[in-house]
Amino acid sequence: MGGTVVAAPAAHADIAACENYVQDQGTEVTDAVRMACYVGLVGDQSGCVSDLVRAGVAGVIATEACRQAP
């Protein structure tokens, strides 16, 4: 039980790091960006990058944002 409580905030922080990186680079964080960051969190880096690019994030920024997700 304690592991779940500790893991949940850490997961949220990783998604937030991805979202914050996107926002800091000048792109609005939309639902599509949030979902892409979640995809990165669960380990699908290429899916994360592809989804962020489709959401309007530049490729280089998307790659770095997804690195911060897991």
Side-chain angles (χ1 to χ4, degrees):
M1 184 172 188
T4 303
V5 173
V6 172
H12 183 265
D14 292 336
I15 292 173
C18 175
E19 292 173 358
N20 289 339
Y21 187 80
V22 169
Q23 186 171 18
D24 290 347
Q25 301 304 314
T27 302
E28 180 182 354
V29 175
T30 61
D31 287 341
V33 169
R34 287 183 192 93
M35 278 306 295
C37 287
Y38 176 78
V39 168
L41 175 70
V42 298
D44 183 358
Q45 292 297 297
S46 62
C48 175
V49 172
S50 296
D51 290 351
L52 282 177
V53 169
R54 275 194 293 272
V57 177
V60 173
I61 294 168
T63 300
E64 182 56 33
C66 291
R67 283 187 188 139
Q68 296 188 27

